[in-house]
Amino acid sequence: MRFDYYNDLMFFNGSSWDRYFPARFDEKVQYDVIVIGSGTGGGILANAASNLGLMTLVLEAGPVRHLVNITDLPLPNVLESMDPYEQTEGTDLRGGVCFNLGGRSVFWSAVIPRMKPWELAHWPAAVAEHLVDGGYASAERLFRKRHDHPPFQVDLEARVRARFGADYEVTQLPRSYHQPDSEQNPRDGSPDERTTGVFSTAALLSSALLNGRKAGVDNLHVAVQHLVDRVILGQPLQNGLRKASAVEALDLRAGVRRVFQGRFVVLAGGTTESARLAMTSGVHDESGMLGRGLTDHAEAELPFEVARDCTFFDADSQGNLLLRPRDQGDDGFSCELALNWKFWDVRIEDDYWYKKNLDQDEPIRSTIKFLFRSPLRNDNQLFVEGSKYYVDIAPTSEPPEDLRARASALGGELQELFGVTNPDPNLRYQPYALTYHLAGSMRMSEDPNDGVVDTDLRFHQYDNLYCCDLSVFPDVPASNPSLTLGSLAQRLAVELKSRCV
């Protein structure tokens, strides 16, 4: 059966992209690893696996749109995404499926905090230990986490820590910059470099293919505009496990169907797309959790304006800090302080445009953003009826009253620090699923009765079928998940290499 939205899915790459990006694939090759999707999970996994000597194929439904992160592109930029799912009554899922090389990593993946111990407590012990014992450090090297900061930002951090440091851990917002030797922006008060790239798996895969000296280039094939709509499943093995024998894809440009063989198949299309593919391929799941649990952060924002007479912050300054309570118990939040966000990751070549739109005597607009940890909700699900896909996602519930009160108090005190005389403590909660960090449709668990994949990201009932995207998260942390997913992808590459020996 073919599904309705495939009929209208069409892309076009101009000849310049064809010459620049050497898309490669070979139906006659027995690949070691087939990765379906090229976002943060799939792109990092494919690059790492090929560098380890595994013959790797990436199948990406979309074309090459951008090889760099959206922060490098002239403004304005538009997030090109779609939502191919019918929504049941009461569901408000915002489109977030990005069909293009690099997935959503093309559009954002700069903020890379680690999970804290109270967040890791909701993860399997083996995975939590890996992340703490080198897994995060390895991913930070790949993302090129920034460690140095200009004097203004260091002073700003010290001021906030002096006021809140007893109760809150105050740090620079952990961010990725993928050109470490670039010069800092000379604008006074700027805490950030404006580089030629924050992390993007589109750039990562393209660099591997274009650099003939890179170890993995001979082992890496990337086929864009190949929409995988079926994982071909084989007969059960002697040990009782099932097996994925191949994948079938529609070449959207040539209009032909192709079948690719692989020792290992990894779903990495995202929380909704990977679950959809597993369900329509007939993947067996004894836990009953396949497609269930889709959950995003509980999120609240508090916009405010820094007072004009603030003695240490003015209209040409910008700041970004992260605050997290020291005493969280088993629940909690992160607080992102984004000061004067009109300068946030803006690349502007046209001085006239800059003077007209930013170089004005405007209020110093800022935002305090809270993300709350969210356990997966089993009543949220993706399901198939006939030739339609459906999502049923309840509105995001507000966190417990004590956490709301604590966040509200912090928001008011932060405003006072920046000279606001009548601070507004009323947080604006988002009642819908934004899909920015939607997770949990194929959660990991040590027990096959409680989850879809194990702690190695392998489907419990399959010998060679894996998943490597936010689908596998057993819990939604109170922070951006990019670094955690990147570490899981590197770990899976090592696991697959060990199985190929």
Side-chain angles (χ1 to χ4, degrees), residues 13 145 157 159 217 227 234 242 259 279 309 321 326 349-350 373 378 387 392-393 398 417 462 478:
N13 273 352
K145 175 185 173 181
E157 178 187 348
R159 289 177 181 273
V217 67
L227 174 68
R242 293 170 169 83
V259 175
M279 295 170 69
D309 59 357
L321 295 174
R326 295 187 182 279
E349 313 297 350
D350 187 337
R373 173 200 155 246
N378 291 340
S387 61
D392 185 357
I393 300 181
E398 293 186 4
L417 178 64
Y462 289 81

Side-chain angles (χ1 to χ4, degrees), residues 410-421:
L410 175 60
E413 292 174 12
L414 281 168
Q415 292 177 74
E416 291 177 351
L417 178 64
F418 289 91
V420 179
T421 54

Side-chain angles (χ1 to χ4, degrees), residues 178-425:
H178 232 63
Q179 181 146 330
D181 297 326
S182 59
E183 295 295 328
Q184 292 181 0
N185 190 309
R187 178 170 56 82
D188 292 338
S190 171
D192 300 319
E193 300 167 350
R194 294 296 179 256
T195 73
T196 58
V198 294
F199 184 78
S200 165
T201 53
L204 182 69
L205 294 172
S206 300
S207 295
L209 289 175
L210 294 169
N211 184 356
R213 293 173 295 176
K214 181 132 180 100
V217 67
D218 292 334
N219 306 315
L220 180 63
H221 288 182
V222 178
V224 294
Q225 300 191 140
H226 276 67
L227 174 68
V228 177
D229 56 8
R230 184 164 71 106
V231 177
I232 301 173
L233 305 175
Q235 296 298 316
L237 304 174
Q238 290 184 349
N239 61 6
L241 295 178
R242 293 170 169 83
K243 187 171 183 174
S245 58
V247 299
E248 182 179 354
L250 172 63
D251 183 334
L252 295 170
R253 294 195 67 181
V256 299
R257 307 196 71 80
R258 306 185 190 279
V259 175
F260 298 96
Q261 310 289 328
R263 294 179 64 181
F264 301 103
V265 175
V266 184
L267 310 187
T271 299
T272 54
E273 283 293 280
S274 285
R276 183 272 307 167
L277 179 58
M279 295 170 69
T280 56
S281 298
V283 170
H284 182 71
D285 168 49
E286 292 182 359
S287 72
M289 295 298 178
L290 176 55
R292 288 187 175 272
L294 297 86
T295 306
D296 208 334
H297 301 284
E299 177 183 340
E301 293 188 357
L302 187 56
F304 73 101
E305 296 176 2
V306 174
R308 281 287 178 180
D309 59 357
C310 181
T311 59
F312 61 90
F313 201 92
D314 58 36
D316 287 324
S317 299
Q318 180 194 7
N320 305 103
L321 295 174
L322 185 66
L323 291 81
R324 291 194 274 194
R326 295 187 182 279
D327 178 21
Q328 293 274 194
D330 64 353
D331 210 341
F333 59 81
S334 65
C335 173
E336 178 185 333
L337 180 60
L339 300 165
N340 212 2
W341 46 255
K342 69 180 181 181
F343 292 121
W344 180 266
D345 288 311
V346 175
R347 170 182 172 177
I348 301 170
E349 313 297 350
D350 187 337
D351 289 338
Y352 173 79
W353 191 96
Y354 173 83
K355 292 180 181 299
K356 179 180 178 182
N357 292 278
L358 293 181
D359 191 19
Q360 299 177 7
D361 187 24
E362 299 175 335
I364 309 173
R365 295 190 177 92
S366 305
T367 301
I368 305 170
K369 178 185 289 187
F370 295 92
L371 294 179
F372 297 83
R373 173 200 155 246
S374 297
L376 303 186
R377 298 186 57 170
N378 291 340
D379 52 340
N380 289 347
Q381 64 175 316
L382 181 151
F383 56 96
V384 178
E385 285 186 0
S387 61
K388 297 282 188 181
Y389 303 124
Y390 288 86
V391 289
D392 185 357
I393 300 181
T396 303
S397 58
E398 293 186 4
E401 183 177 355
D402 60 331
L403 282 180
R404 297 201 307 270
R406 188 173 186 180
S408 179
L410 175 60
E413 292 174 12
L414 281 168
Q415 292 177 74
E416 291 177 351
L417 178 64
F418 289 91
V420 179
T421 54
N422 296 303
D424 178 4

Side-chain angles (χ1 to χ4, degrees), residues 60 111 132 170 184 197 231 240 261 272 326 382 396-397 404 453-454 456 484 494 496:
E60 167 57 52
V111 180
V132 173
V170 181
Q184 292 181 0
V231 177
Q261 310 289 328
T272 54
R326 295 187 182 279
L382 181 151
T396 303
S397 58
R404 297 201 307 270
V453 302
D454 65 15
D456 290 327
T484 299
V494 174
L496 297 180

Side-chain angles (χ1 to χ4, degrees), residues 75-76 85 99 120 129 138 156 164 192 280 293 356 438 442:
L75 293 182
Y85 301 94
F99 288 120
L120 290 168
E129 290 172 5
S138 176
L156 179 65
F164 299 97
D192 300 319
T280 56
K356 179 180 178 182
L438 192 67
M442 293 191 289

